[in-house]
Every structure is written in structure tokens, then in C-alpha cells.
Amino acid sequence: MTFLELCRRVRLDSGISGDIATVDNQQGIMAVKLRVREADYDILKSRTDWTFMQRSANAALQVGKAEYLPADLNMQPFAGVSRVYVDKVPAIRCEFDELDDLHLKQGCAPSGVPQRYAVTPLKRILFDHAPTDAAAVALRYNALPIRMTANSSVSLIPDEHHEIIVQKALMSYASMEQDDKLLRDATQRFDLLHKQLCNSYLPELKIF
């Protein structure tokens, strides 16, 4: 469903009269636009490891440069990084403070082949070494969620699970209106749909 279609569903299921012709300039108590948009965004940002948010990127590391903005590596703004390969060799993830201390002691990033990386507090990728030669880097990461804005916007949540957005938006509306029955029904439905979404799009738990 598009953003507009989701808004129309929520309006219908909540019992609000009238129609929604557009998501633009929705005002007042019947502004279901905000409830739908935030319901979608809240679900997306509730986890950093949704598999439907996984992305890949390939780029080249620059000689003498150890720290990179996401755009430098052809990445979107990211919620988390799962794997990094430098010249097809996996780089080991470590804590930012560990690499920061190394660089502070050296006065700068030492030259060499990058073997470890960290995510900085400003969401940049920091390598332990600044390459002495150009190196290919491949990354797997989870993109940051974005909010729907236009009538034709489509949630990043897979289409077959869009009903979860409707139910979460209804929960918000019912809570504001103190509609206990609608809140109870929407919450029960949301809980079931959330379990289904998690079962379908969260990484399998590995037991060693």
C-alpha cells in the first residue's frame, strides 16, 4: 500500500468520517497522516537488524585515508554495519575507542593494510590503518529508516506486512481518543503481526 492508501485504511478502520484525497496539509484531530507516518517509522527504527533493510556497497579506499563518511563508500546513512571486506579479506570489527587510542598514540592512523574497523560516534567508518595502496572495500550494512512523505511513498516494510502499520496507527489514534475497544483490538492484532514480521525478517539466532 502507498502512504495515501494506508491513511485511507486507517481513516476507515477508525471510523473517522470523510475521505482523504491527499497526505498534503492534513490538519487537526483527523490528521491520520502523522499517525501512519510515525507508526511506520517507529516499526522500522525498533530494530537495527531487519533483513529487509540490508544493503551492500562497494568502493575503493584512498591511499593515506583511514576514516570515511558513508557517501565516501557509496553507502546510505546506516543503522549498523555487519560485514566489511578489504581486498576480499574480512576486516575485524572492534570498538571505536580501541582504534581511537591507537591513532592518538601514533599521532595519526598508521600506514598499512586495513585489517580492523570501527563505527565512530558520528556514524563514520574508521580503519586501523590508512592504506598505502588503493584497496577495494565491500560492505554489508543496514540502512537508516526514512519517513514516508508523498502520496505515492511506499514503506520499506515489505508489502505483505503493511497491515502492521495500519494497526500501530490505530493504536495511536485509539489511545488519544480513549477508545478502549479499538485500542485492545488493534494491540492484539499488532502483536500478532509483529511476531510474523520478526519471524520473517530478523536474522536467525545462532546457537553454538
Side-chain angles (χ1 to χ4, degrees):
M1 288 183 278
T2 65
F3 190 12
L4 179 58
E5 289 169 339
L6 287 166
C7 289
R8 286 173 169 167
R9 261 294 310 281
V10 172
R11 183 208 63 76
L12 179 65
D13 290 4
S14 63
I16 297 173
S17 61
D19 190 20
I20 299 176
T22 176
V23 298
D24 296 329
N25 300 319
Q26 283 289 114
Q27 301 293 331
I29 195 171
M30 299 197 322
V32 296
K33 162 192 173 180
L34 296 179
R35 302 187 185 284
V36 171
R37 185 181 68 185
E38 294 310 303
D40 173 60
Y41 187 72
D42 286 347
I43 295 167
L44 289 171
K45 73 177 183 180
S46 68
R47 301 285 304 220
T48 61
D49 54 351
W50 292 120
T51 56
F52 59 80
M53 295 292 286
Q54 287 181 355
R55 306 289 184 269
S56 61
N58 293 274
L61 299 183
Q62 300 177 30
V63 174
K65 183 175 181 178
E67 186 172 345
Y68 295 83
L69 294 169
D72 295 334
L73 302 176
N74 298 319
M75 301 169 68
Q76 300 173 38
F78 61 84
V81 177
S82 56
R83 283 173 288 168
V84 176
Y85 282 73
V86 178
D87 283 340
K88 300 183 179 180
V89 177
I92 299 170
R93 178 164 181 161
C94 59
E95 295 299 322
F96 166 71
D97 287 345
E98 183 179 346
L99 293 192
D100 193 38
D101 286 344
L102 170 67
H103 296 172
L104 286 172
K105 290 175 182 176
Q106 296 276 348
C108 63
S111 297
V113 178
Q115 297 176 320
R116 295 181 293 162
Y117 76 96
V119 176
T120 76
L122 295 177
K123 292 292 186 180
R124 300 177 180 183
I125 305 296
L126 179 67
F127 290 96
D128 57 343
H129 290 83
T132 52
D133 297 297
V137 61
L139 307 98
R140 299 294 180 268
Y141 67 99
N142 271 48
L144 279 179
I146 57 175
R147 288 179 169 89
M148 295 185 289
T149 56
N151 289 331
S152 59
S153 295
V154 178
S155 171
L156 296 172
I157 296 170
D159 184 72
E160 66 270 22
H161 292 276
H162 280 187
E163 183 67 23
I164 192 174
I165 305 170
V166 173
Q167 298 306 319
K168 187 163 181 62
L170 286 171
M171 288 165 58
S172 174
Y173 173 80
S175 179
M176 183 195 71
E177 291 294 309
Q178 298 183 335
D179 186 332
D180 293 339
K181 182 179 186 306
L182 180 60
L183 178 60
R184 181 174 61 254
D185 291 346
T187 300
Q188 290 177 348
R189 183 66 175 152
F190 172 82
D191 288 343
L192 175 61
L193 294 170
H194 188 259
K195 288 179 182 178
Q196 293 174 353
L197 184 66
C198 290
N199 287 338
S200 296
Y201 292 101
L202 285 181
E204 293 184 10
L205 180 64
K206 295 181 180 179
I207 301 177
F208 296 96

